[in-house]
Amino acid sequence: MLTTLKTSYTDTRAADLAWALGREPLPALAVLDLELTGAKLQLRLLGASHQVLLEEEQGTCSETVACMPGSSTPLPLGVSKRVGEWEYEFAARVETLNQGSFAGRAQELLALVADHPNGLAGTFPGSPHAFTAMLAHREEGQVRWRTWHAYPQEGQLVVTRTRIGARLPVVL
């Protein structure tokens, strides 16, 4: 699903993003509710930020990547931890691209997410390459999602990847 977000572009720098687990639902500009084989997943666009709410028989989890005033947890490169009965893994990276490459990558990502049944993307008025996009799926008992936060004025794209679910068996 692709939507134009009815707001000004507020998260203006990739470096301002922070990460948090367990936050209450924040006001969303766009929401996509998904049912993924027993898991209820809500993808939420918060401007140039995102929040994912997961509910399964084993419990609930929320992930927020946003500009959070007063937050002391900047966007980490990686997190691996137990959340109740689940194993949670998060990874983030920042891609810096020139203007032409950025425009092409933005179009590619929006096309990928826009027509996907488990995808949500929001663009901002005034800049066709300012967007936040999310894509989720379930695989081998794990719920997984990827997000992209575009900052065209800096030529930066923040890419995140999350996996949560039962512990995967160790293969020797």
Side-chain angles (χ1 to χ4, degrees), residues 19-170:
W19 166 88
L21 275 179
R23 289 188 66 121
E24 293 296 318
L26 298 171
L29 299 171
V31 174
L32 179 63
D33 289 307
L34 300 172
E35 181 78 34
L36 301 174
T37 317
K40 292 181 182 177
L41 195 65
Q42 188 175 76
L43 305 180
R44 304 167 59 82
L45 296 181
L46 317 172
S49 311
H50 82 260
Q51 188 172 49
V52 177
L53 307 177
L54 171 65
E55 182 181 333
E56 268 192 314
E57 189 177 299
Q58 295 90 338
T60 62
C61 180
S62 78
E63 173 189 277
T64 306
V65 171
C67 292
M68 296 179 269
S71 174
S72 61
T73 307
L75 191 64
L77 294 177
V79 174
S80 182
K81 65 188 302 179
R82 297 284 300 206
V83 176
E85 296 296 313
W86 290 321
E87 185 176 294
Y88 171 89
E89 288 184 2
F90 172 86
R93 72 176 191 279
V94 178
E95 296 177 9
T96 302
L97 306 163
N98 66 40
Q99 190 174 4
S101 296
F102 190 93
R105 182 88 166 115
Q107 290 174 336
E108 174 186 280
L109 290 169
L110 288 172
L112 170 73
V113 175
D115 294 327
H116 195 287
N118 297 343
L120 175 63
T123 59
F124 293 88
S127 178
H129 303 126
F131 69 92
T132 301
M134 308 171 74
L135 189 59
H137 70 281
R138 187 170 184 110
E139 180 182 314
E140 298 175 359
Q142 309 279 312
V143 178
R144 301 168 187 251
W145 58 88
R146 295 171 57 195
T147 72
W148 299 270
H149 303 253
Y151 297 90
Q153 73 282 9
E154 296 181 314
Q156 291 188 323
L157 186 66
V158 176
V159 181
T160 74
R161 175 185 48 80
T162 301
R163 178 185 64 78
I164 187 168
R167 296 187 97 172
L168 291 174
V170 175

